[in-house]
Amino acid sequence: MEGLPKHRALDIGCAAGRASFELAKVFEHVDAVDFSARIIQTPTNLQKQGFQRYTIQEEGELVTYKEVRFDNFGYDEVKNRVTFLQGDACNLAAKFTDYDLILAGNLLDRLYEPEKFLRLIKDRVRPGGLLVITSPYTWLSEFTKREFWLGGFKANTGESYTTLDGLHDHLEPEFTLLQQPIDIPFVIRETKRKYQHTLAELSVWQKKD
């Protein structure tokens, strides 16, 4: 974002809101949207109370009680810049528009119609603004019907067609890929002794003026 306006950002698929609050350190306003109204109760409670209690599973029925506090992360000064809202990424309300940056973090391969999402989101970015996409491209029919996958299959030519190929085809020529994509590792804790380790590919697309 160096040298670009930093007025408005959208975190689509925001989940518990960590990235949303980080964006608020840079942007004047952040809209944070998730399909699950239950999930966004957590960051909303954080905004109101400054803390949130939760449990983590250790093994079987055993859990440990935890607490996260705003003042541990330096969010006190920016917490009111974020608005958490429920919404469908594939059927986003018209009010979600005119953004300098849109972040779709680990969202793409969990959408029921990702191509529709890309068509919709292109018009919500200001000219010169950025669309940042991260995804492990774990295409599963339980989330996305096979005919709606953006990649991860053999094309009619017999060549491998990756999700990055699909992103190029759906975002160009309105957007330009700014740099070679990079892998972003992330870990999900399931129990005290079981973790998921995943690599998401991050690509940054700039909308042409």
Side-chain angles (χ1 to χ4, degrees), residues 21-22 24-26 47 74-82:
F21 290 120
E22 290 294 330
K25 293 180 177 180
V26 177
Q47 283 178 310
Y75 294 151
D76 286 327
E77 294 183 3
V78 302
K79 65 180 181 180
N80 293 326
R81 295 183 184 179
V82 185

Side-chain angles (χ1 to χ4, degrees), residues 35-152:
F35 188 77
S36 171
R38 179 184 61 83
I39 286 179
I40 61 175
Q41 287 177 0
T42 296
T44 301
N45 288 340
L46 268 172
Q47 283 178 310
K48 294 177 180 177
Q49 302 175 14
F51 68 93
Q52 174 69 35
R53 296 188 177 99
Y54 61 100
T55 61
I56 58 173
Q57 186 180 8
E58 298 294 354
E59 56 180 271
E61 298 176 349
L62 303 178
V63 299
T64 297
Y65 295 90
K66 297 283 188 178
E67 182 179 277
V68 61
R69 302 192 66 86
F70 249 160
D71 50 19
N72 292 337
F73 297 93
Y75 294 151
D76 286 327
E77 294 183 3
V78 302
K79 65 180 181 180
N80 293 326
R81 295 183 184 179
V82 185
T83 301
F84 289 96
L85 297 157
Q86 191 275 336
D88 182 351
C90 296
N91 190 25
L92 206 57
K95 66 180 180 179
F96 297 110
T97 191
D98 203 25
Y99 294 104
D100 300 301
L101 179 140
I102 294 179
L103 169 64
N106 298 337
L107 171 76
L108 203 62
D109 58 2
R110 291 297 182 265
L111 297 175
Y112 58 85
E113 199 169 341
E115 181 181 347
K116 182 179 179 182
F117 164 72
L118 292 177
R119 288 199 312 268
L120 176 151
I121 212 68
K122 287 194 291 188
D123 294 332
R124 312 301 178 99
V125 184
R126 289 174 174 169
L130 301 184
L131 172 61
V132 180
I133 297 173
T134 74
S135 175
Y137 308 147
T138 312
W139 296 107
L140 298 170
S141 57
E142 63 186 280
F143 298 106
T144 313
K145 291 182 179 180
R146 169 63 179 78
E147 60 264 34
F148 294 133
W149 292 6
L150 291 181

